[in-house]
Amino acid sequence: MGRTTIGIVMNGVTGRMGLRQHLLRSVLAIRQDGGLPLRDGSVLWPEPLLVGRSEAKLRDIAEKNGLTEWTTDLPAALARPDMQIYFDAQVTSARVKALQMAIEAGKHIYTEKPVAETLEQAVELAKVADAAGIKHGVVQDKLFLPGLRKLARLVQSGFFGKILSVRGEFGYWVFEGDWQAAQRPSWNYRAADGGGIVLDMFPHWHYVLEQVFGPVRAVTARAVTHIDKRWDEEGTAYEATADDAAYGLFELDGGIVAQINSSWAVRVNRDELVEFQVDGTHGSAVAGLHHCRIQPRAATPKPVWDPDVPTTQRFRDQWQTVPDNDVFPNGFRAQWEQFLRYVAEDAPYAGDLWAGARGVQIAELGLQSSREGRRIEIPELDR
Ligand SMILES: NC(=O)c1ccc[n+]([C@@H]2O[C@H](COP(=O)([O-])OP(=O)(O)OC[C@H]3O[C@@H](n4cnc5c(N)ncnc54)[C@H](O)[C@@H]3O)[C@@H](O)[C@H]2O)c1
């Protein structure tokens, strides 16, 4: 069987996500393994065309990775008939304009989240993409994490009985940038540049909650800026205007209450950078990036509250590890493979621009909830 080449315009590959996760660990990793095998026995060969603002950086990435195609001219890249897909991992504020251009050029689009800074823009993009008849996908990498895959498996198996609640803890300390360099880009901390932890993380929490547990019907959130002064990549002090922590409550179908803390101003006292505890009538689980532990109903200990006596029970030891029972590839790569198969052979695919728009919606309503100090119900999107 033959090999078909599929051209992908990759914009934002000089950034953290674009380079490491999407170019190196996904598209180039697929090539290193000989391409993507399709149902009919043929192989799909992704051919990236790197796009960005700095020719020097693009050339450097291309040369280091044996690639020959790069340009700073996005319209020219989109005009090429051998490029079928446009991928975007630019800063959030640059995304909508580029996606619109790609849709107009008739390309299928695959994009990082959030798809836009406002719900209005996100819905407009989804409508225009549907009208153009192109295929579209939005990154939902957390669903492919081994820990969350095991958690989803537990839900599907009925392990929990009736699911009561979900408690998520996400975050770590992001250095201010003065005496130690920050480990995230400075635009994340400036509202005017598309920053903020709500816009960054609520879209993730939305697809995790929606796809693992069910539709999200209401949000109550408190978004704050704990650290209001930071230092950028050049060591210059700036005012941090975007929220760097968000304390969110999400109400789901079936009465499930999910409470998720997201913070770049917290020190880690957990096993992993994100952890979700799910409690159900028949059992509980704690899932992180990689691992998942359970405690079934029949093995639940019976602690008694007695503040005068130090507890002798080691609660963490009372949980059982869920085995992998599977091989979990890099989540970004796994989703790239799904999207490429969707484009090449119409394989099933979830997570389109409408799902992306629901992610932006919950971020927007979460910020509104915080501003107005109230619970907000989430309306269906108007298609
Ligand atoms: N899926 C995930 O887990 C995940 C994680 C982090 C970030 N993201 C998303 O990926 C996108 C990129 O984030 P990142 O952390 O890689 O950012 P980054 O700052 O490291 O990279 C940003 C990229 O956008 C380009 N760019 C285009 N226009 C720009 C402008 N006007 N100013 C600055 N840079 C510009 C930069 O050259 C660079 O290639 C964001 O939308 C972010 O929300 C997703």
Side-chain angles (χ1 to χ4, degrees):
M1 273 286 178
R3 188 170 98 165
T4 316
T5 298
I6 187 160
I8 310 173
V9 176
M10 296 189 74
N11 197 1
V13 284
T14 58
R16 268 181 347 135
M17 300 311 294
L19 179 64
R20 217 170 337 139
Q21 297 299 347
H22 294 285
L23 183 66
L24 303 184
R25 295 192 186 154
S26 298
V27 172
L28 295 187
I30 292 171
R31 286 160 59 110
Q32 272 148 22
D33 288 344
L36 182 67
L38 297 179
R39 254 194 325 249
D40 64 4
S42 69
V43 165
L44 191 67
W45 184 255
E47 194 61 65
L49 163 55
L50 311 184
V51 178
R53 297 171 304 162
S54 158
E55 194 171 324
K57 286 186 190 167
L58 293 170
R59 183 185 308 116
D60 183 50
I61 293 170
E63 284 175 359
K64 278 193 179 125
N65 293 286
L67 298 171
T68 52
E69 300 237 64
W70 70 86
T71 178
T72 53
D73 187 345
L74 177 60
L78 292 174
R80 280 180 48 169
D82 58 336
M83 293 291 138
Q84 289 101 313
I85 296 175
Y86 171 74
F87 168 70
D88 193 294
Q90 296 186 96
V91 285
T92 305
S93 56
R95 179 156 303 128
V96 168
K97 195 171 153 223
L99 291 182
Q100 276 166 345
M101 285 168 68
I103 295 169
E104 273 169 31
K107 307 299 174 193
H108 302 300
I109 58 175
Y110 184 52
T111 176
E112 262 294 353
K113 46 50 63 183
V115 291
E117 289 176 275
T118 69
L119 176 60
E120 194 184 342
Q121 290 171 329
V123 167
E124 180 61 19
L125 272 178
K127 284 184 178 169
V128 174
D130 278 352
I134 55 129
K135 290 179 171 168
H136 40 95
V138 181
V139 172
Q140 299 192 327
D141 54 291
K142 306 291 176 274
L143 286 175
F144 296 82
L145 291 167
L148 285 188
R149 294 269 302 274
K150 292 176 210 171
L151 180 63
R153 199 198 279 159
L154 290 171
V155 174
Q156 283 154 16
S157 75
F159 165 79
F160 292 105
K162 178 176 162 51
I163 296 175
L164 307 172
S165 63
V166 180
R167 275 181 300 127
E169 277 292 337
F170 162 84
Y172 46 92
W173 191 266
V174 176
F175 280 87
E176 297 89 330
D178 48 352
W179 66 288
Q180 288 195 50
Q183 68 272 44
R184 293 186 62 90
S186 58
W187 65 265
N188 284 182
Y189 303 92
R190 291 189 294 263
D193 293 339
I197 202 164
V198 171
L199 189 59
D200 191 37
M201 296 313 296
F202 277 29
H204 285 300
W205 306 149
H206 185 267
Y207 65 71
V208 167
L209 293 172
E210 180 181 67
Q211 294 202 33
V212 179
F213 302 104
V216 186
R217 302 301 185 189
V219 58
T220 311
R222 180 86 185 108
V224 290
T225 307
H226 286 309
I227 308 288
D228 57 11
K229 183 180 180 187
R230 290 180 178 271
W231 284 258
D232 69 13
E233 289 76 3
E234 277 71 50
T236 309
Y238 65 96
E239 190 189 349
T241 47
D243 43 285
D244 58 10
Y247 306 89
L249 195 76
F250 307 91
E251 294 169 55
L252 278 62
D253 271 5
I256 300 173
V257 179
Q259 183 196 329
I260 305 180
N261 294 328
S262 315
S263 179
W264 289 319
V266 67
R267 296 185 175 85
V268 181
N269 183 10
R270 294 168 238 128
D271 292 332
E272 307 203 59
L273 294 191
V274 65
E275 277 185 352
F276 296 93
Q277 172 159 344
V278 181
D279 289 296
T281 51
H282 288 183
S284 297
V286 176
L289 298 171
H290 295 276
H291 306 292
C292 184
R293 287 168 294 137
I294 52 171
Q295 187 169 97
R297 183 181 195 218
T300 305
K302 198 189 227 179
V304 175
W305 179 260
D306 184 352
D308 297 325
V309 182
T311 184
T312 53
Q313 296 204 50
R314 299 179 67 85
F315 295 114
R316 283 178 185 273
D317 294 346
Q318 295 163 346
W319 295 68
Q320 187 186 341
T321 301
V322 176
D324 287 353
N325 289 356
D326 208 345
V327 178
F328 301 107
N330 173 292
F332 289 89
R333 174 177 174 169
Q335 204 187 347
W336 262 104
E337 292 188 358
Q338 274 191 2
F339 186 73
L340 290 174
R341 289 198 168 100
Y342 173 46
V343 170
E345 56 185 6
D346 217 17
Y349 186 83
D352 61 4
L353 280 173
W354 289 104
R358 291 197 293 281
V360 175
Q361 180 187 35
I362 207 161
E364 198 167 283
L365 295 181
L367 288 170
Q368 186 187 344
S369 161
S370 180
R371 263 193 325 272
E372 298 176 2
R374 66 184 180 96
R375 169 184 181 273
I376 298 186
E377 292 192 358
I378 301 170
E380 296 281 338
L381 290 183
D382 178 15
R383 284 174 178 247

